[in-house]
Amino acid sequence: PSPCGRGEPRAVPPPASRGAASRFPGDRLVAFPRRVAYTSRSEGRIGLELRALVIGDIVGTRGRRVVQEKLAELRAREGAHLVIANAENLAGGSGVTPTLVEKLFKAGCDLLTLGDHAYGKRDGLPLIGSDQRIVRPLNYPEEAVGRGLTFLELPGEVTVALLQVQGRVFMNPSDCPFRAADKAVERA
């Protein structure tokens, strides 16, 4: 059973089978383009296809520079409507700063996720609390700075919900990620 008593967790395929990895010579940006079918609840049919480009952990100066140099080309080549990147280690391997986050947004990232290093830089806290495009783990206490669920409106009257949960193995205590995600999905 899961740590929340909700039965067995579902298996998730390894990253290589989720989408074609994009690689660049030398420094590389590896991302997994995802096709998501949007279903209209009122009509019960497929309405459109959303292509999301998901970038894993961007670490330090080198990681940020690769994103700045390669993201526009990758986004165009893959036809991505949305770019989501993990930025918790952006500032020297722990946390974010307003200046560095702005560089990612200018490079073409639409939404940023954070994890256990979310609060690694004190000057990033006000930004985490105010910028709707940044998501910290949803299963952190309600009083924690930031939000664990956000919404982004895309062209064509499409709204995307993004939530981030953090596992509990080898991590500081947090609420059950499964329960937190279930509650967020109900709200979305």
Side-chain angles (χ1 to χ4, degrees):
S2 78
C4 300
R6 299 206 35 182
E8 292 296 320
R10 289 178 289 175
V12 177
S17 65
R18 291 187 194 162
S22 301
R23 293 186 174 86
F24 296 91
D27 287 338
R28 56 187 192 143
L29 175 62
V30 179
F32 297 94
R34 296 295 308 243
R35 291 182 183 208
V36 179
Y38 167 75
T39 303
S40 167
R41 289 184 185 175
S42 60
E43 299 177 24
R45 63 181 175 82
I46 301 289
L48 61 93
E49 180 181 272
L50 173 68
R51 290 184 60 99
L53 182 65
V54 181
I55 301 172
D57 210 5
I58 301 170
V59 181
T61 302
R62 191 170 183 160
R64 177 185 43 80
R65 284 185 182 154
V66 171
V67 170
Q68 287 178 286
E69 293 169 8
K70 306 292 185 177
L71 182 55
E73 173 191 339
L74 181 60
R75 185 175 191 156
R77 187 179 75 221
E78 298 297 337
H81 301 104
L82 172 69
V83 176
I84 303 168
N86 180 275
E88 70 177 286
N89 293 310
L90 184 62
S94 182
V96 296
T97 66
T99 303
L100 297 178
V101 165
E102 185 58 32
K103 288 179 180 186
L104 288 185
F105 288 138
K106 281 185 179 180
C109 293
D110 297 302
L111 296 168
L112 301 178
T113 61
L114 306 174
D116 64 321
H117 297 138
Y119 307 128
K121 298 288 186 238
R122 188 176 295 247
D123 58 337
L125 294 177
L127 182 69
I128 294 168
S130 64
D131 195 319
Q132 299 288 323
R133 301 170 294 176
I134 300 174
V135 180
R136 54 109 169 123
L138 177 68
N139 52 327
Y140 276 13
E142 283 186 35
E143 301 79 20
V145 174
R147 70 207 41 76
L149 170 68
T150 196
F151 300 89
L152 178 69
E153 290 187 31
L154 298 175
E157 299 181 19
V158 174
T159 301
V160 174
L162 175 68
L163 67 87
Q164 150 67 348
V165 293
Q166 178 174 287
R168 299 194 295 185
V169 177
F170 305 118
M171 304 300 270
N172 289 324
S174 61
D175 291 341
C176 175
F178 301 104
R179 286 189 189 128
D182 284 346
K183 287 179 188 175
V185 168
E186 288 173 14
R187 284 188 309 199

